[in-house]
Amino acid sequence: EADIMMSNGLPSLDEVRKYYEIEFDRYGLVIFHPVTTELADLPHQARTLVDYILCSRHRFIVIYPNNDDGTDVIQMEYERLGACSRVRLLPSMRFEYFLTVMKHADFLLGNSSAGVREASVFGTPSVNLGTRQAGRARASSVIDSDFSLEAIRTSVKSSIDRPRTPQPMYGSGDSASRFL
């Protein structure tokens, strides 16, 4: 994975924007999945995330959640984003295109492992919401936040203000040649 991430073979941001009909070049990337042990809190969590997106001035690329229990709750909230011109909703992305989007994002917001693992390879700051990634190793570019509008707002602002310093915690992209 790091070999692909660090390669010069990733598609350009312009190519990705054209393919997925993304009309903006500055954006936050949102990836939020249900936590199956917290389904009772999920409606509040998803509503707060969508409320933040709607009241923010940022543009967003929002990728649908995985298919765990609770996905329907998140997708129902995402329906409120449909008319917002600052949001591009996508069911999924090709992996290499996703890497390009993550590499160029102003920040990543959500609870995906990509925020605590892969984003740091590019120096992309990440705001990790809730407990889904609790206990996982993380780079200093990750800010943990709870599900309040003010906490998310403060965390996103703090993430944008951080220097974009790549922190490849899992190697430097030369594992194949080292293995051979």
Side-chain angles (χ1 to χ4, degrees), residues 103-138:
K103 180 178 183 177
H104 294 280
D106 290 339
F107 58 91
L108 193 147
L109 174 62
N111 64 1
S112 171
S113 61
V116 298
R117 295 185 56 158
E118 289 86 358
S120 66
V121 171
F122 299 124
T124 303
S126 177
V127 175
N128 177 58
L129 297 174
T131 63
R132 188 168 185 264
Q133 301 303 325
R136 293 189 89 166
R138 61 197 64 221

Side-chain angles (χ1 to χ4, degrees), residues 10-13 16 27 96-105:
L10 291 178
S12 70
L13 182 58
V16 174
Y27 54 88
E96 293 83 4
Y97 285 43
F98 170 73
L99 292 176
T100 296
V101 165
M102 184 170 45
K103 180 178 183 177
H104 294 280

Side-chain angles (χ1 to χ4, degrees), residues 1-7 117 121 168-180:
E1 190 172 283
D3 291 343
I4 294 169
M5 292 180 72
M6 306 293 254
S7 79
R117 295 185 56 158
V121 171
M169 296 173 45
Y170 303 99
S172 57
D174 60 351
S175 59
S177 61
R178 290 178 59 204
F179 176 78
L180 291 173

Side-chain angles (χ1 to χ4, degrees), residues 29-170:
L29 176 60
V30 176
I31 312 168
F32 181 68
H33 303 295
V35 178
T36 57
T37 58
E38 299 176 4
L39 292 179
D41 294 330
L42 187 57
H44 164 73
Q45 294 171 354
R47 185 172 40 259
T48 302
L49 174 60
V50 170
D51 286 347
Y52 169 75
I53 292 169
L54 290 172
C55 74
S56 170
R57 294 182 181 183
H58 297 288
R59 293 179 172 95
F60 293 93
I61 296 172
V62 178
I63 299 176
Y64 281 19
N66 62 24
N67 61 358
D68 287 346
D69 285 343
T71 294
D72 56 331
V73 172
I74 297 171
Q75 288 181 333
M76 281 192 317
E77 282 297 326
Y78 283 177
E79 288 177 13
R80 295 195 297 139
L81 300 172
C84 184
S85 63
R86 294 180 299 97
V87 176
R88 179 68 172 106
L89 280 165
L90 297 170
S92 64
M93 292 188 93
R94 293 178 176 181
F95 184 64
E96 293 83 4
Y97 285 43
F98 170 73
L99 292 176
T100 296
V101 165
M102 184 170 45
K103 180 178 183 177
H104 294 280
D106 290 339
F107 58 91
L108 193 147
L109 174 62
N111 64 1
S112 171
S113 61
V116 298
R117 295 185 56 158
E118 289 86 358
S120 66
V121 171
F122 299 124
T124 303
S126 177
V127 175
N128 177 58
L129 297 174
T131 63
R132 188 168 185 264
Q133 301 303 325
R136 293 189 89 166
R138 61 197 64 221
S140 62
S141 58
V142 178
I143 298 172
D144 291 306
S145 176
D146 64 28
F147 287 97
S148 73
L149 281 176
E150 189 54 38
I152 296 171
R153 186 178 297 114
T154 301
S155 297
V156 168
K157 182 179 180 342
S158 178
S159 74
I160 292 171
D161 292 342
R162 290 182 178 210
R164 290 183 72 101
T165 306
Q167 299 174 27
M169 296 173 45
Y170 303 99

